[in-house]
């Protein structure tokens, strides 16, 4: 269905272009289309059509023969960003002009969610430069090669020529990115010293490799046919003449910026940094929770979960008399919990992850009616960026069905993947976690396009963390050590509440945060360091997981108490998933309506 929808949209666009004066053309060009749904979908499509990289990732235009965008890159200039903020204000005004009385219930919800996002964009515009666009986790320096490797498809000579074009255009895009970074420097928004050191190491390593070993070269070579191989020489020249100089311009800039950087890491140190952090917390949690409240909840949850872990360890005859950290270190020291530190061992990890996902996928009938049609697979995070990448992440399937959902596993440090933690991670990133929620949202019929990709992290990550708990409830982690793995994962998210607010609100140093997380989770040192460094460059994001999970569990308990034997877990999950990602207050309203409707139907039946 998703593929059909987007093929239809591609055809619609062609019709609009060709058939001037048609109703579709009016809806595309009018200041205010007649149909509300036409307006919100049109605005998303217009933004998508201004982003060649988005079009490549979505992959629906190719089905109607449009491929020129695959030879272009996004406009990353400050002028383009200014244009977007102006556009969002215009969209806000038009959106409000649709009278509520004229809208269906579904359109009213879409209007509410759209206004939520637009209002936040308006309120937070003052903090638009409070970010580090190039950092150890993301940015053009690793996003560009990842995009070219994972998203740019090669099926014809034209696809290769488009790839070569993007190798040339990257130099201009790096220049545009530098424009925004320099403006931040003028405003006193300079990354912490460790961030600069990390990206310099990453970029220096990237340009230091032989071109034939560069991912931009090797990924193209793998995708090409023998007949296309003659074009590899052009790719090599373009990498040398355009890609390397682009990276060197960033290397030179950050080398000079080092002298201005400090080891203070929290947002509190930036101009209006405390206000910017509160704004970030509001965006990621979709609540008005204060930093102090989140910090206190985190401390309470850390104590509760640690106690549960210690109880299990004691039952398994571990010495818990020396405290939590020592007991976890004893557990982590057992070699039997780890794979062989070799290519074969890493390959087996991927195989075993897939087995875990296949197993649970066939055992969820009692908990779910709504399920995604898209499949999913486990792959390794590309080696060139795994050293500074998180432990795992999920990539949504292609909108046209050409690529399944993907669970990317970090295999850099073999000690960071104990066997007892694998089930929980697979359930979070894959099934029934991110894959169920995100792929289902993409496949929902009648949902406006913007709601398929709504950025409500508390809902999205809260669902994934809730999924870990659900899998345990359903018996998929009945081994006590697997349950410890689950509890450690939840503890990890509770610790995040403490350290994120500690860094950005309570002025903790990077070292303080690392020490706290290491002592209270027992995670591998490499994971602790990369996680803390992630929170520093993504303020507030890490708090969304636990906040969202607690809200979903709270709402489930509310429904169970209100409905008694009328409560059906499948109904609850349908309500949570069938509208895509939403702010937590709207999710609570859904559950309240579900409770009221169920009670009303029960009373009428009696």
């Amino acid at each position: 269905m998703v593929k059909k929808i987007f093929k239809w949209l591609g055809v619609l666009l062609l019709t609009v272009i060709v058939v001037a004066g048609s109703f579709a053309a009016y809806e595309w060009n009018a200041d205010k289309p007649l149909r509300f749904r036409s307006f919100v979908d049109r605005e998303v499509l217009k933004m998508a059509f201004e982003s060649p990289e988005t079009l490549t990732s979505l992959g629906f235009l190719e089905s109607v023969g449009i491929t020129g965008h695959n030879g272009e890159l996004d406009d990353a200039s400050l002028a383009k960003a200014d244009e977007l903020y102006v556009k969002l204000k215009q969209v806000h005004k038009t959106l409000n002009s649709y009278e509520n009385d004229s809208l269906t219930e579904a359109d009213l919800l879409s209007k509410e969610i759209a206004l939520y996002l637009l209002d936040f964009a308006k309120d937070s515009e003052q903090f638009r430069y409070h970010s580090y666009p190039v950092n150890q986790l993301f940015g053009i320096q690793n996003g560009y090669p990842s995009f070219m490797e994972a998203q740019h498809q090669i099926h014809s000579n034209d696809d290769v020529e488009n790839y070569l074009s993007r190798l040339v255009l990257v130099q201009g895009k790096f220049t545009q990115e530098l424009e925004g970074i320099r403006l931040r420097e003028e405003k006193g928004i300079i990354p912490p010293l460790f961030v600069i050191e990390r990206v310099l190491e990453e970029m220096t390593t990237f340009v230091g490799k032989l071109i034939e070993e560069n991912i931009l070269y090797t990924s193209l070579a793998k995708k090409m046919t023998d007949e296309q191989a003659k074009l590899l020489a052009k790719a090599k020249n373009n990498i040398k003449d355009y890609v390397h100089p682009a990276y060197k311009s960033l290397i030179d800039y950050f080398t000079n910026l080092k002298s201005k950087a400090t080891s203070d890491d929290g947002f509190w140190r930036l101009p209006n940094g405390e206000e910017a952090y509160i704004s970030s917390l509001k965006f990621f949690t979709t609540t008005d929770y204060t930093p102090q409240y989140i910090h206190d909840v985190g401390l309470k949850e850390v104590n509760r979960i640690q106690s549960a872990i210690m109880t299990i360890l004691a039952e398994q005859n571990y010495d818990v008399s020396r405290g939590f950290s020592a007991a976890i270190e004893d557990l982590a020291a057992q070699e039997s919990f780890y794979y062989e530190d070799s290519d074969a061992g890493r390959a087996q990890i991927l195989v075993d992850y897939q087995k875990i996902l296949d197993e649970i996928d066939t055992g969820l009938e009692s908990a779910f009616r709504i399920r995604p049609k898209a499949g999913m697979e486990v792959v390794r995070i590309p080696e060139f960026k795994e050293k500074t990448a998180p432990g795992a992440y999920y990539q949504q399937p292609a909108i046209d069905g050409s690529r399944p959902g993907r669970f990317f596993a970090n295999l850099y440090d073999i000690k960071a993947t104990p066997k007892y933690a694998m089930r929980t991670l697979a359930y979070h990133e894959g099934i029934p976690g991110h894959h169920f929620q995100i792929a289902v949202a993409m496949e929902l019929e009648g949902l406006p396009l913007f709601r398929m990709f709504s950025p409500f992290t508390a809902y999205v990550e809260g669902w994934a963390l809730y999924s870990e708990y659900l899998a345990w409830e359903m018996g998929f982690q009945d081994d006590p050590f697997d349950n410890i793995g689950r509890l450690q994962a939840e503890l990890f998210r509770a610790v995040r509440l403490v350290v994120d607010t500690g860094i950005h609100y309570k002025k903790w140093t990077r070292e303080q945060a690392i020490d706290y997380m290491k002592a209270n989770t027992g995670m591998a040192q490499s994971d602790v360091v990369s996680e803390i460094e992630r929170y520093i460059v993504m303020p507030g994001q890490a708090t969304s997981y636990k906040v969202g999970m607690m809200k979903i569990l709270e709402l489930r308990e509310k429904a169970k108490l209100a409905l008694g034997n009328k409560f059906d877990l499948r109904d609850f999950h349908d309500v949570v998933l069938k509208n895509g990602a939403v702010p937590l207050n709207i999710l609570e309203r859904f559950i309240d309506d579900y409770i009221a409707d169920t009670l009303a139907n029960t009373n009428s039946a009696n």
Side-chain angles (χ1 to χ4, degrees):
M1 177 54 68
V2 171
K3 186 173 183 178
K4 289 180 181 177
I5 290 171
F6 277 86
K7 184 173 182 179
W8 177 82
L9 288 170
V11 173
L12 172 61
L13 179 64
L14 289 175
T15 304
V16 169
I17 294 171
V18 175
V19 188
S22 69
F23 174 76
Y26 175 83
E27 294 287 88
W28 184 263
N29 293 303
D31 290 338
K32 180 184 177 182
L34 297 176
R35 296 176 62 247
F36 172 84
R37 173 69 184 276
S38 296
F39 172 67
V40 292
D41 279 347
R42 181 193 75 177
E43 293 310 308
V44 171
L45 280 172
K46 284 188 174 182
M47 289 182 185
F49 275 93
E50 291 181 0
S51 169
E53 295 170 34
T54 298
L55 292 176
T56 295
S57 297
L58 292 175
F60 67 84
L61 283 181
E62 288 77 4
S63 64
V64 291
I66 300 176
T67 61
H69 55 281
N70 291 324
E72 301 173 357
L73 294 174
D74 287 357
D75 184 343
S77 66
L78 289 174
K80 186 66 176 178
D82 291 340
E83 181 184 307
L84 175 61
Y85 275 96
V86 171
K87 177 64 176 176
L88 291 178
K89 292 180 176 67
Q90 294 171 345
V91 171
H92 191 286
K93 181 178 179 181
T94 304
L95 196 68
N96 264 327
S97 71
Y98 286 92
E99 297 293 337
N100 289 350
D101 292 344
S102 69
L103 301 179
T104 65
E105 184 178 344
D107 285 344
L108 277 172
L109 177 61
S110 293
K111 179 181 177 181
E112 181 181 7
I113 294 172
L115 286 174
Y116 182 99
L117 292 168
L118 290 166
D119 286 339
F120 183 84
K122 179 181 178 182
D123 293 342
S124 62
E125 184 177 357
Q126 60 184 311
F127 307 122
R128 60 184 284 196
Y129 298 113
H130 281 74
S131 62
Y132 313 124
V134 171
N135 60 67
Q136 80 283 1
L137 285 183
F138 55 85
I140 192 171
Q141 84 289 354
N142 55 33
Y144 170 73
S146 295
F147 167 78
M148 296 292 279
E149 187 273 335
Q151 307 296 337
H152 191 111
Q153 302 297 309
I154 302 293
H155 301 295
S156 67
N157 285 350
D158 285 345
D159 294 335
V160 178
E161 292 292 349
N162 285 332
Y163 190 99
L164 296 174
S165 172
R166 280 175 161 164
L167 293 178
V168 173
L169 294 176
V170 73
Q171 194 167 19
K173 185 169 180 179
F174 269 61
T175 299
Q176 291 175 334
E177 291 281 359
L178 261 175
E179 180 186 14
I181 296 170
R182 291 184 192 279
L183 179 59
R184 286 171 174 79
E185 179 187 351
E186 293 173 12
K187 293 178 176 293
I189 300 174
I190 297 172
L193 181 60
F194 85 85
V195 174
I196 295 174
E197 292 174 343
R198 292 283 192 280
V199 297
L200 280 174
E201 179 185 3
E202 179 186 22
M203 292 189 293
T204 302
T205 300
F206 184 85
V207 299
K209 285 186 175 182
L210 292 174
I211 291 178
E212 290 84 355
E213 297 175 0
N214 188 295
I215 189 173
L216 292 170
Y217 183 94
T218 58
S219 66
L220 176 62
K222 290 176 184 176
K223 298 174 186 177
M224 296 170 73
T225 65
D226 292 339
E227 295 175 358
Q228 296 164 345
K230 61 182 182 296
L231 296 173
L232 272 174
K234 288 186 178 180
K236 182 176 180 179
N237 288 334
N238 286 358
I239 292 171
K240 175 174 66 72
D241 295 339
Y242 300 99
V243 176
H244 278 185
Y247 276 82
K248 287 174 181 174
S249 67
L250 270 183
I251 290 170
D252 290 344
Y253 172 79
F254 279 106
T255 299
N256 293 329
L257 190 65
K258 278 182 68 174
S259 62
K260 298 182 180 181
T262 71
S263 295
D264 292 330
D265 300 307
F267 251 37
W268 57 267
R269 69 186 173 86
L270 303 178
N272 298 318
E274 292 183 359
E275 294 86 351
Y277 181 54
I278 290 172
S279 175
S280 188
L281 284 177
K282 182 174 183 177
F283 175 74
F284 284 116
T285 69
T286 63
T287 72
D288 291 320
Y289 295 163
T290 66
Q292 186 65 55
Y293 173 80
I294 292 173
H295 192 82
D296 292 342
V297 168
L299 291 172
K300 180 180 178 181
E301 284 294 284
V302 166
N303 290 335
R304 178 187 66 81
I305 300 167
Q306 284 182 348
S307 177
I309 293 172
M310 294 289 272
T311 298
I312 298 173
L313 286 173
E315 291 171 351
Q316 298 301 314
N317 300 316
Y318 279 77
D319 180 6
V320 297
S321 63
R322 294 179 296 133
F324 179 80
S325 182
I328 290 297
E329 287 178 4
D330 289 345
L331 177 70
Q334 285 190 228
E335 289 298 324
S336 60
F337 287 131
Y338 300 98
Y339 290 79
E340 179 183 290
D341 192 356
S342 64
D343 290 342
R346 286 173 170 80
Q348 189 61 48
I349 290 174
L350 298 179
V351 170
D352 289 349
Y353 269 134
Q354 192 67 54
K355 288 179 180 177
I356 290 169
L357 290 168
D358 291 343
E359 175 198 39
I360 195 169
D361 192 36
T362 61
L364 292 173
E365 289 80 5
S366 64
F368 291 92
R369 291 191 184 92
I370 187 169
R371 298 171 69 114
K373 297 179 179 67
M376 78 161 303
E377 63 184 6
V378 183
V379 296
R380 182 176 181 174
I381 290 176
E383 293 181 51
F384 84 94
K385 66 175 184 177
E386 66 182 356
K387 184 177 180 180
T388 56
Y393 57 85
Y394 174 76
Q395 180 188 72
Q396 65 194 33
I399 200 77
D400 68 349
S402 62
R403 185 187 68 249
R406 286 175 174 168
F407 160 28
F408 282 86
N410 193 329
L411 305 183
Y412 175 74
D413 181 358
I414 205 75
K415 293 291 186 181
T417 311
K419 294 177 182 178
Y420 56 80
M422 289 175 62
R423 284 184 172 272
T424 295
L425 188 58
Y427 302 148
H428 180 103
E429 300 295 343
I431 298 169
H434 285 320
H435 181 61
F436 261 40
Q437 185 269 307
I438 293 173
V440 162
M442 292 174 66
E443 295 170 3
L444 288 172
E445 295 186 28
L447 206 65
L449 302 181
F450 83 93
R451 288 182 54 198
M452 292 183 184
F453 310 100
S454 295
F456 297 116
T457 314
Y459 173 96
V460 172
E461 296 295 353
W463 171 264
L465 187 52
Y466 166 77
S467 294
E468 301 173 13
Y469 182 85
L470 176 67
W472 169 70
E473 283 185 312
M474 297 185 69
F476 289 100
Q477 292 157 307
D478 55 356
D479 183 285
F481 292 105
D482 285 338
N483 193 27
I484 287 176
R486 176 191 70 83
L487 288 166
Q488 278 191 287
E490 187 180 0
L491 175 64
F492 167 41
R493 276 47 174 247
V495 167
R496 281 176 160 181
L497 301 181
V498 179
V499 295
D500 196 282
T501 52
I503 292 165
H504 297 291
Y505 172 67
K506 291 185 170 293
K507 303 184 179 180
W508 286 13
T509 64
R510 171 179 170 274
E511 289 69 29
Q512 279 179 279
I514 289 172
D515 290 346
Y516 180 89
M517 176 166 266
K518 183 70 175 70
N520 285 282
T521 63
M523 292 167 56
Q525 181 72 13
S526 61
D527 278 356
V528 171
V529 171
S530 65
E531 286 295 328
I532 293 299
E533 292 179 349
R534 166 185 169 181
Y535 312 152
I536 289 170
V537 300
M538 299 177 68
Q541 192 271 353
T543 67
S544 58
Y545 298 67
K546 185 65 174 166
V547 168
M549 178 207 191
M550 289 190 297
K551 175 56 72 171
I552 293 172
L553 283 172
E554 172 194 319
L555 294 177
R556 194 180 76 172
E557 187 61 23
K558 181 180 185 180
K560 289 175 73 174
L561 289 173
L563 298 177
N565 61 8
K566 300 298 181 184
F567 176 82
D568 187 320
L569 187 59
R570 295 171 299 174
D571 292 339
F572 177 80
H573 289 156
D574 277 357
V575 174
V576 174
L577 292 175
K578 71 180 181 181
N579 287 292
V582 295
L584 295 181
N585 66 315
I586 293 180
L587 179 62
E588 183 161 14
R589 191 175 74 221
F590 291 160
I591 301 303
D592 288 342
D593 291 344
Y594 152 63
I595 292 170
D597 290 345
T598 303
L599 290 175
N601 291 335
T602 300
N603 292 334
S604 63
N606 294 332

